[in-house]
Amino acid sequence: MHTLYDSESFSVTHMLANAVVVGTEPEGGNSVVESVLLVPQLARHGFEIVDKRSGKEVYLDGSWAELFQQHISAWQIKTPTQEEVEDTLEGYAELAQNPVVVH
């Protein structure tokens, strides 16, 4: 998980599908621990956009995430103004339906 953008109005986090290492202790009390690497079957990356003004968030995956990744790639080529970034994020924030809940 990487925070890509954070302002007074929006926060954008890139969620990565990571492999998980699970440790198991073999039978017989041997002190050697075996590790198993679990690779996600459908490794999907996504982006969480939080609209701090409304207190709602949207998670983009699949084709929505690919479209958003194109915006990020374009921003890397030509650095946008904060207003341009915020305008783009506001368009995606219109999709937000989920209230932000802190556990």
Side-chain angles (χ1 to χ4, degrees), residues 4 9-10 18 21 29-30 32 41-43 50-53 67 75 80 85:
L4 301 178
S9 302
F10 294 100
N18 295 326
V21 176
N30 190 342
V32 176
Q41 293 299 312
L42 296 172
V50 175
D51 183 346
K52 295 178 182 179
R53 303 165 302 174
L67 181 61
W75 290 340
V85 172

Side-chain angles (χ1 to χ4, degrees), residues 7 13 19 25-27 38 40 46 52-53 58 67 75 86 99 102:
S7 71
T13 304
E25 189 169 323
E27 292 182 29
L38 301 176
K52 295 178 182 179
R53 303 165 302 174
V58 62
L67 181 61
W75 290 340
E86 300 265 330
V102 178

Side-chain angles (χ1 to χ4, degrees), residues 4 12 47 49 60 63-73 75 88-89 92:
L4 301 178
V12 179
F47 298 92
I49 300 173
L60 306 174
S63 60
W64 282 105
E66 290 176 20
L67 181 61
F68 190 70
Q69 180 63 52
Q70 290 174 2
H71 285 287
I72 292 172
S73 296
W75 290 340
T88 300
L89 295 177
Y92 284 101

Side-chain angles (χ1 to χ4, degrees), residues 2-3 8 12 15 18 25 30 35 37 42 44-45 60 64 78-79 87-88:
H2 300 285
T3 300
E8 289 182 19
V12 179
M15 305 294 200
N18 295 326
E25 189 169 323
N30 190 342
S35 294
L37 182 62
L42 296 172
R44 297 188 67 158
H45 303 274
L60 306 174
W64 282 105
K78 181 185 177 284
T79 305
D87 287 345
T88 300

